Amino acid sequence: MFTTQLVDRYPRWQLIAGAGALLTIGILGFGASIAGLPLTIAYAAWIAAGMGMGIAFNTFTLNVMQFARKGAEGAALASRNLGGNLGTAMGSGIGGAALAVGTAAHEGIRPGLGFIYLLAAAAAAGTAALAGRSSRQ
């Protein structure tokens, strides 16, 4: 319901950009907890990241539905879902490899987790930066 009110009030590309920024800040804040920041900062950061993800996911879906050709909405949504699944698979694979490298080097999991958080934050920042391309308005 919250996203519906936002979509009625703001252009979708602005929502996607803002959501990407929230997600970036949230991921970096949460990731900073491995460097010793208090967990209260991590909790607040994860709330921001969750808001960003909630706004972005719904807004992306609305964009896909709006710009799909009539009768091809299912194919368009399948493509969006495939892209999300591929991103999850690639992130999991790269993240797992980063953890394995850190563990094999007897450095523990902190360097690998740091890399994972930076990679995720870079992806979220890229989403924010490219948000203007998601609209034909």
Side-chain angles (χ1 to χ4, degrees), residues 58-135:
N58 292 327
T59 307
F60 276 135
T61 302
L62 286 172
N63 265 6
V64 168
M65 291 298 291
Q66 178 184 358
F67 296 128
R69 287 187 330 267
K70 187 169 177 77
E73 294 89 352
L77 282 176
S79 295
R80 192 205 63 75
N81 287 340
L82 178 61
N85 290 339
L86 286 174
T88 299
M90 288 175 56
S92 298
I94 293 168
L99 287 174
V101 167
T103 303
H106 302 291
E107 295 292 328
I109 63 170
R110 281 188 180 196
L113 287 175
F115 176 78
I116 291 167
Y117 290 127
L118 286 175
L119 182 65
T127 298
L130 296 173
R133 296 179 55 118
S134 70
S135 177

Side-chain angles (χ1 to χ4, degrees), residues 1-52:
M1 181 168 181
F2 176 70
T3 305
T4 305
Q5 293 170 346
L6 290 175
V7 167
D8 291 340
R9 188 174 287 180
Y10 300 102
R12 290 185 187 153
W13 72 268
Q14 287 180 349
L15 290 176
I16 293 170
L22 274 173
L23 196 52
T24 302
I25 291 166
I27 291 168
L28 290 175
F30 190 80
S33 67
I34 64 172
L37 282 172
L39 286 179
T40 54
I41 292 174
Y43 296 146
W46 213 238
I47 290 169
M51 281 184 58

